[in-house]
Amino acid sequence: MRVQYEELIKVAQSAKRRAYAPYSKFRVGAALLTSSGQIYSGCNIEISTYALTLCAERTAIFKAVSEGEKKFKAIAVVSDDPQYIPPCGACRQVLMDLAGNIDFIMVNGKGAGKVVKLAKLLPYAFGKKNLLRTRKKRKS
Ligand code: THU
């Protein structure tokens, strides 16, 4: 594991402390590394209507994109689960769209990380390319 990734895991662990998970009690922290070396953290934020809940990964990437970031390298995700934590389907799509085939670092309860390429977690991904192929050219 690269030193930079160890650091990313530590940032994700401290973001987990800020998780707002009164319903599931499942606390998650994420840390997203940009190509220029900046780190954006995120935690899960639960809403009483459940469906509006935001996962830690999406909190982190929406923060980064809203600050003008466009290129990413990796994201580390931690929880209190002793097992490695994989991302939900919605986060896989959002990360693929906005960050591309980055390293996804799944972390277990002991703080050990396992690096998996996002394309492996989301094979045959739908994306911008599919929309651009069928969109008719319009005069502006
Ligand atoms: N959750 C995340 O934040 N990231 C994941 O990768 C999996 C699930 C959150 C959403 C919800 O607040 C709680 O964990 C239980 O699903």
Side-chain angles (χ1 to χ4, degrees):
M1 179 86 34
R2 289 197 246 165
V3 178
Q4 213 175 13
Y5 286 2
E6 303 283 358
E7 166 69 15
L8 208 56
I9 291 171
K10 283 196 187 117
V11 176
Q13 280 163 338
S14 39
K16 189 187 70 181
R17 289 188 219 119
R18 296 189 291 274
Y20 178 71
Y23 310 109
S24 72
K25 314 276 186 209
F26 191 81
R27 303 166 75 80
V28 186
L32 177 68
L33 180 66
T34 70
S35 296
S36 64
Q38 285 263 108
I39 296 177
Y40 288 83
S41 67
C43 61
N44 56 330
I45 302 168
E46 296 184 347
I47 302 301
S48 56
T49 52
Y50 294 11
L52 295 175
T53 289
L54 199 59
C55 290
E57 295 91 319
R58 277 177 287 153
T59 303
I61 193 144
F62 290 156
K63 276 171 68 181
V65 171
S66 69
E67 292 298 319
E69 299 289 353
K70 289 186 168 63
K71 289 191 165 179
F72 304 94
K73 248 186 183 167
I75 188 166
V77 182
V78 308
S79 76
D80 296 316
D81 191 324
Q83 302 293 316
Y84 290 103
I85 164 150
C88 78
C91 288
R92 292 176 200 215
Q93 182 68 47
V94 169
L95 289 171
M96 185 58 90
D97 263 38
L98 300 175
N101 191 20
I102 56 171
D103 283 345
F104 190 96
I105 307 157
M106 297 190 270
V107 184
N108 69 14
K110 287 182 180 155
K114 185 174 22 192
V115 183
V116 186
K117 281 277 174 196
L118 191 61
K120 206 165 180 189
L121 295 170
L122 190 67
Y124 301 103
F126 183 85
K128 196 182 186 179
K129 61 185 186 302
N130 304 100
L131 295 174
L132 293 179
R133 261 202 294 275
T134 53
R135 204 179 64 182
K136 286 191 184 119
K137 275 192 179 168
R138 271 175 274 140
K139 282 180 190 165
S140 54

